Amino acid sequence: MTADKGVIRQSESGRRDSSSADKSLYWDVHPGDVVYNTMRMWQGVSGIAGEAGIVSPAYTVCEPVGEVSSEFLRWFLKEPRLVGKFFRRSQGLVSDTWNLTYSEFKKIEVDLPPPTEQCRIAEVLDEIERQIQATEAEAKKDAVSSFAAITNRLSSAEHPRHSLKTLLGSRPRNGFSPAEVDGWTGFLVLGLGCLTPRGFMPRQLKHVSPGVAFGHSATLSDGDLLVSRANTRELVGMAGIYRDVGAPCLYPDLMMRLTPKPGVPAEFLESSLALPEVRRRIQALSQGTSDSMVKITGDVVWNLEVPVPDAEEISRLLLVKEAARRRLKFHVHSREKLLAEKEALMGVLLNDELYSPYRV
């Protein structure tokens, strides 16, 4: 059925002027309304309004009609085959932004299960979503607890402070940023977002030409310690230990690679650079005309002072850090397993090709 023949209709609550000086128009939204982002609908971006309010014209507000369940529609509008239809009816604007008008949206034909089946499907998918959120919350709780334990032990005033130049075998070295290319080439370069408050995360990886990447001195090895030399003031100087991503990988010009002296664990330096007192010092020494992009120099890192416990205490810290890493790996595995289960369930439960035509 088409969207305007019994499934949903565009909200008739109308628009009202905002209180702002520019008199922009906003959609009224009421509990149970289905709301979708007209610029991101092709990515399955939709949800249900939990309370009354207003949304900007970037969103379309629809009201389920008849016996159609809002909870079911929230999931149904994310179904991959249906999202493909959204994409084909969208109009490209810029980059990955596409516009799906309601006039095109309502032309899409779908079949829905009976109301009782809609409720059952929504309950199943809601439950697995709750499990995913619980797993993410547990991972966050573990990460916060582990960070607090390491910080408390490492930041003790009893530990002497030493500059990093006494702990590094050579000065920090900037990386290399070749031009990104489309498609898999077998060679990668890290994006700046790979260094996070939680250390290295293999995301924002970019493809680069083998001709410029092969054998380059900026090629990473598993266990290399990296520090961002440019970012927002909040994120500049983030440290992380690179872990192999399955292909030769460079680090970019906006990162520095630190080479610890023999006997100085990279994991210890990573934790030292994440300490609040060290982070404050890095932020104070960063330079830039805007907080949205500041930089630190190799000299700043070279002379940066960090607490250095004795070898026995460093060993204990590394045990705490390794236990935290193992727990995080467990949580990540659990989340990935649940996400795969959710995707499989959506593929079966939301496949309108399996339904008999149903009219409401």
Side-chain angles (χ1 to χ4, degrees):
M1 71 184 65
T2 58
D4 62 342
K5 290 184 180 179
V7 179
I8 57 177
R9 62 169 174 256
Q10 194 165 23
S11 175
E12 297 177 355
S13 56
R15 293 181 173 183
R16 66 183 182 190
D17 289 335
S18 71
S19 59
S20 62
D22 63 5
K23 300 298 183 184
S24 298
L25 297 177
Y26 285 72
W27 282 110
D28 287 323
V29 59
H30 302 286
D33 284 350
V34 175
V35 181
Y36 73 83
N37 186 327
T38 60
M39 303 295 182
R40 299 287 177 182
M41 192 59 176
W42 62 275
Q43 294 177 325
V45 178
S46 61
I48 303 174
E51 57 185 26
I54 58 174
V55 294
S56 79
Y59 295 85
T60 295
V61 181
C62 302
E63 178 186 358
V65 298
E67 296 180 294
V68 178
S69 163
S70 295
E71 289 74 16
F72 173 78
L73 281 178
R74 178 172 75 91
W75 288 107
F76 190 59
L77 295 178
K78 302 175 190 291
E79 197 278 320
R81 281 171 286 266
L82 193 53
V83 170
K85 295 179 181 179
F86 299 155
F87 179 73
R88 288 190 290 274
R89 289 185 177 275
S90 296
Q91 299 174 347
L93 299 178
V94 293
S95 184
D96 63 347
T97 299
W98 296 73
N99 181 46
L100 177 65
T101 64
Y102 184 77
S103 61
E104 287 298 316
F105 177 51
K106 70 180 183 180
K107 295 177 183 177
I108 297 173
E109 295 188 352
V110 297
D111 288 318
L112 300 181
T116 54
E117 185 70 3
Q118 292 179 36
C119 294
R120 187 188 70 83
I121 291 171
E123 288 173 358
V124 170
L125 293 175
D126 284 345
E127 174 56 30
I128 195 167
E129 183 69 18
R130 282 191 290 270
Q131 294 178 31
I132 292 171
Q133 292 174 356
T135 299
E136 292 173 344
E138 192 64 27
K140 184 176 181 179
K141 179 180 176 182
D142 265 354
V144 171
S145 177
S146 299
F147 179 76
I150 293 172
T151 298
N152 289 338
R153 301 186 68 139
L154 189 54
S155 60
S156 171
E158 298 178 358
H159 303 321
R161 270 56 178 168
H162 297 287
S163 61
L164 282 180
K165 63 186 174 185
T166 66
L167 304 171
L168 299 177
S170 60
R171 297 183 70 87
R173 293 180 61 89
N174 296 350
F176 172 59
S177 296
E180 182 179 2
V181 300
D182 294 329
W184 174 253
T185 65
F187 289 83
L188 301 167
V189 64
L190 300 181
L192 195 55
C194 289
L195 296 182
T196 77
R198 295 172 61 181
F200 173 76
M201 303 289 286
R203 61 190 189 187
Q204 297 183 358
L205 304 178
K206 303 174 184 179
H207 306 295
V208 295
S209 169
V212 297
F214 181 77
H216 198 281
S217 60
T219 302
L220 290 161
S221 298
D222 189 78
D224 280 350
L225 178 61
L226 298 170
V227 173
S228 61
R229 71 180 189 89
N231 210 320
T232 64
R233 195 172 299 277
E234 181 183 2
L235 297 176
V236 69
M238 284 290 170
I241 296 175
Y242 170 77
R243 297 303 177 191
D244 185 69
V245 295
C249 187
L250 310 179
Y251 67 103
D253 179 63
L254 295 182
M255 292 183 189
M256 293 180 275
R257 177 163 49 191
L258 309 186
T259 304
K261 286 183 176 179
V264 178
E267 291 82 0
F268 156 67
L269 292 181
E270 179 189 37
S271 293
S272 297
L273 289 166
L275 290 173
E277 64 177 271
V278 178
R279 294 288 309 136
R280 287 192 294 269
R281 184 62 177 161
I282 290 173
Q283 291 167 354
L285 293 172
S286 62
Q287 297 182 345
T289 57
S290 169
D291 282 351
S292 63
M293 180 56 72
V294 296
K295 294 183 178 181
I296 55 174
T297 64
D299 285 339
V300 166
V301 176
W302 186 244
N303 293 297
L304 196 64
E305 290 192 345
V306 298
V308 182
D310 58 35
E312 185 176 347
E313 179 65 10
I314 288 178
S315 295
R316 284 195 289 266
L317 287 168
L318 296 184
L319 289 175
V320 173
K321 196 173 179 70
E322 175 60 19
R325 188 190 69 81
R326 290 181 180 274
R327 288 196 300 273
L328 176 60
K329 186 176 180 180
F330 170 78
H331 291 312
V332 169
H333 176 74
S334 298
R335 180 178 181 273
E336 290 176 347
K337 185 177 179 180
L338 287 168
L339 286 172
E341 184 179 348
K342 171 184 167 184
E343 183 178 354
L345 283 170
M346 289 178 67
V348 174
L349 298 177
L350 302 177
N351 185 356
D352 68 334
E353 295 176 1
L354 302 178
Y355 305 145
S356 297
Y358 173 70
R359 299 292 184 266
V360 293

